Amino acid sequence: SDADFEKQKTQLSGIFNAAIGISALQNKDYATAAKSLRAAVDVSPTDFSLVNPLALAYLQATPPDSINGIWYASRASVVAPNPQIQQQIERYAKSQYAKYHGGEDGWTDVLSQAKANPTMPSGFAIKPAPTPAEQAAALVNGKTPDDIKKLSFAEWELVLSAGDQAAQDQVWNV
């Protein structure tokens, strides 16, 4: 029947895409691996043997696709076959999150979304870590001259090397 044909076509497509994706990942062709494994995971979103390699394909690419990689690494920790592997994958995903985001705040939200959804929710986003210019601005914005005097040498150096002209002027004037 047409329904059986479509079901078999979907299953075989998942199997073939998985084979292509795993092979591409082994050959470090991360773009092909991500594309093929994503198609396979769409067919089998709870298959750890697909979800984990998909996360690696995203995270090992140059440049890495951190949003997708972190999501699928979190999801891989959820569908891991045993608690020991689950903990290892979760630690890895959390470290990738902290590296991208600049801290661990918000990690539990990402993990709870991965537990609740077999596929990445639309609009899923992770705020990236602040740039050096943003950090420099945060150091001096709204500060009094006495507060700026109390900044460490490393903080002055950051403001003078990465800050905008207004932030640099505030430090130099003090």
Side-chain angles (χ1 to χ4, degrees), residues 25 28 30 53 55-65 92:
L25 183 61
K28 299 183 183 201
Y30 300 117
L56 295 175
Y58 282 129
L59 292 170
Q60 292 175 354
T62 306
D65 181 346
Y92 175 70

Side-chain angles (χ1 to χ4, degrees), residues 8 13 23 25-26 28 45 70 75-76 88 119 126 144-145 171:
Q8 187 173 25
S13 173
S23 176
L25 183 61
Q26 290 172 343
K28 299 183 183 201
I70 292 166
R75 186 70 189 145
Q88 290 174 336
T119 58
I126 300 170
T144 67
V171 170

Side-chain angles (χ1 to χ4, degrees), residues 32-96:
T32 301
K35 179 182 174 195
S36 297
L37 287 168
R38 179 72 181 261
V41 167
D42 287 344
V43 173
S44 301
T46 59
D47 187 343
F48 175 77
S49 68
L50 299 175
V51 177
N52 191 52
L54 176 59
L56 295 175
Y58 282 129
L59 292 170
Q60 292 175 354
T62 306
D65 181 346
S66 296
I67 303 290
N68 281 311
I70 292 166
W71 167 261
Y72 284 103
S74 302
R75 186 70 189 145
S77 75
V78 171
V79 298
N82 66 53
Q84 182 182 5
I85 293 173
Q86 182 265 334
Q87 289 173 350
Q88 290 174 336
I89 305 273
E90 187 177 324
R91 275 195 306 272
Y92 175 70
K94 186 177 182 179
S95 72
Q96 292 297 311

Side-chain angles (χ1 to χ4, degrees), residues 75-161:
R75 186 70 189 145
S77 75
V78 171
V79 298
N82 66 53
Q84 182 182 5
I85 293 173
Q86 182 265 334
Q87 289 173 350
Q88 290 174 336
I89 305 273
E90 187 177 324
R91 275 195 306 272
Y92 175 70
K94 186 177 182 179
S95 72
Q96 292 297 311
Y97 175 84
K99 178 179 166 184
Y100 178 76
H101 179 65
E104 294 179 1
D105 59 304
W107 166 247
T108 54
D109 295 335
V110 171
L111 195 57
S112 66
Q113 287 184 49
K115 288 178 181 177
N117 300 295
T119 58
M120 187 170 21
S122 65
F124 176 78
I126 300 170
K127 183 181 176 198
T131 65
E134 292 170 335
Q135 292 173 6
L139 283 172
V140 297
N141 285 344
K143 301 273 171 101
T144 67
D146 286 337
D147 292 335
I148 292 174
K149 284 180 186 177
K150 294 176 185 174
L151 294 177
S152 71
F153 180 78
E155 291 169 325
W156 285 353
E157 184 179 31
L158 175 66
V159 173
L160 294 173
S161 64

